[in-house]
Amino acid sequence: MPKQVKVYSTPTCPWCKKTKKFLEDNKISFQDFDVASDKTARDEMMKKTGKLAVPVVDIDGEIVVGYDENWLKQKLGLLK
């Protein structure tokens, strides 16, 4: 069963772009929420992390703040 992946990001954040590119390169489908323009998504992100920092990646309810390629690989089953 595919994992549910959500990315909370802003259009100007370089680490957000890197996170989304990593997911795209690995053919992982994800929902992208622009917390700069979407107050509901921003509130949801704040509730999950207590921080106003991006990117936030939510994989099946497990959260990481920032770009952490090893964490992403581990949670998505991409480690060789």
Side-chain angles (χ1 to χ4, degrees):
M1 177 165 176
K3 296 186 178 289
Q4 185 176 11
V5 181
K6 296 179 180 178
V7 178
Y8 298 87
S9 64
T10 64
T12 57
C13 160
W15 292 107
C16 300
K17 291 177 180 140
K18 192 170 172 104
T19 298
K20 292 185 275 191
K21 180 169 179 1
F22 173 85
L23 293 170
E24 289 162 0
D25 289 350
N26 286 282
K27 306 207 178 352
I28 305 294
S29 63
F30 63 94
Q31 291 176 277
D32 184 27
F33 298 93
D34 178 358
V35 297
S37 63
D38 183 340
K39 183 184 181 328
T40 304
R42 186 169 55 248
D43 290 347
E44 188 177 297
M45 177 189 80
M46 289 283 295
K47 193 171 172 185
K48 289 179 182 189
T49 66
K51 299 178 180 167
L52 195 56
V54 288
V56 170
V57 182
D58 177 339
I59 300 174
D60 289 341
E62 293 190 65
I63 309 287
V64 70
V65 179
Y67 179 74
D68 185 338
E69 191 172 310
N70 286 334
W71 187 89
L72 290 169
K73 285 179 178 175
Q74 181 186 349
K75 296 301 172 196
L76 296 167
L78 298 173
L79 290 174
K80 300 284 184 274

